[in-house]
Amino acid sequence: MRINVTGAALATLLVFSTGLKASAQDTLLKEARYEVNLTVGIVPCALVSSKEFPDRGNGGFRELYSFYEPYFVCDMSPEVSLDANVLLKKWLKVGGKMGYSTVWGDRIDPKTDRTLYRKEFSDITISGQVRFTFYEKLPFRAYAGVAAGATYRHGDDHGERISRLLPAYEVVPIGYQIAYRSTYAIIECAFGSMVLGGRFGIGYRF
C-alpha cells in the first residue's frame, strides 16, 4: 500500500511537472513573436544637397551667382526599406533595417537651360533599431523608435566614381500599425539621414 501511494505520488508529480513544462514552453512560444515590414518613404533632395549638390537651385529661386554659373536641380526620390524585429516585451522590440534609395541631380547651364550632365548615386543603409509600443488596442498599435547604422553611397559624378561610407540615423516620433489578424498596414512619420516625412508599408507578425 505504501509503495502504491509513493508510486502514485511520484506519477502525479511527474505528470504535473511535465504539464508545467509544456505550459511554460507554450507560453514562451506565444510570447516569442517576430515581425517583418516592407515600407516606402521619401528622400528629399534637401537631405543630401549640402554635400552632393552644394549649389542646388531651390524651386526656381537661386542664388545670384547661379544665373552665371552652372547649378544642380534635383527632386525627391523613393526609399525602400525592409526590417525585421523581435518582440522582447509587449512594449519593446529590437531589430535591424536595410534601406535602399537612388538620388540624382541634373547640372544645368543657366545660359542655355540645357542639362550638362547628371550626377546620380545610390545609398544602401544597414542599421539596428529599437521601437517602443506605448498604445495598443487592436486593431491599432502606436509606437516610437530610433535607428542608427551606416550608409554606403556609390554612384557617378560626371565620370568620377562616388564611393563613401556615411553614418546613418533615424527617429520615428510616431508610427501606427493597423492590424488584420497577422497582417497590418504601416503609417509612420520619420526623419533623419535615411528619410524625411511619411513612410507607408505592410507588415506581417508571426
Side-chain angles (χ1 to χ4, degrees):
M1 183 70 177
R2 187 177 300 173
I3 295 176
N4 292 337
V5 170
T6 303
L10 289 175
T12 302
L13 182 61
L14 179 62
V15 170
F16 177 78
S17 62
T18 303
L20 183 63
K21 183 178 179 181
S23 177
Q25 288 178 341
D26 184 61
T27 301
L28 287 174
L29 286 174
K30 288 182 179 179
E31 291 181 353
R33 303 296 297 274
Y34 308 91
E35 64 179 28
V36 178
N37 306 313
L38 179 65
T39 56
V40 178
I42 295 296
V43 181
C45 186
L47 279 179
V48 295
S49 64
S50 59
K51 293 183 179 180
E52 302 294 352
F53 308 110
D55 52 356
R56 177 179 64 97
N58 186 11
F61 297 96
R62 310 190 298 274
E63 300 294 339
L64 183 61
Y65 70 83
S66 68
F67 287 96
Y68 304 97
E69 298 294 335
Y71 61 93
F72 278 106
V73 172
C74 58
D75 209 339
M76 297 182 294
S77 60
E79 176 259 2
V80 180
S81 63
L82 177 68
D83 65 271
N85 301 298
V86 180
L87 283 72
L88 299 181
K89 299 286 185 180
K90 187 176 180 180
W91 53 271
L92 174 65
K93 50 189 174 184
V94 298
K97 176 192 291 286
M98 183 172 67
Y100 177 83
S101 63
T102 298
V103 179
W104 61 88
D106 292 328
R107 189 71 165 172
I108 304 298
D109 183 351
K111 298 176 182 178
T112 62
D113 277 337
R114 292 183 177 179
T115 300
L116 300 176
Y117 62 89
R118 168 168 288 191
K119 180 177 182 177
E120 184 175 355
F121 55 85
S122 299
D123 286 352
I124 299 175
T125 301
I126 298 177
S127 61
Q129 65 180 8
V130 180
R131 294 194 168 182
F132 308 92
T133 301
F134 56 84
Y135 175 82
E136 182 171 5
K137 187 174 182 181
L138 294 179
F140 299 101
R141 299 188 191 97
Y143 60 90
V146 293
T151 295
Y152 174 62
R153 177 169 295 171
H154 62 98
D156 179 76
D157 181 11
H158 199 205
E160 294 185 9
R161 183 188 176 198
I162 299 173
S163 181
R164 282 189 279 275
L165 189 63
L166 306 169
Y169 71 93
E170 179 181 276
V171 177
V172 179
I174 183 70
Y176 296 98
Q177 292 181 350
I178 306 172
Y180 176 73
R181 296 182 179 177
S182 297
T183 307
Y184 51 87
I186 300 169
I187 305 172
E188 63 183 31
C189 174
F191 64 89
S193 63
M194 310 177 205
V195 70
L196 181 63
R199 181 185 276 137
F200 308 92
I202 190 170
Y204 182 75
R205 181 174 285 193
F206 57 97

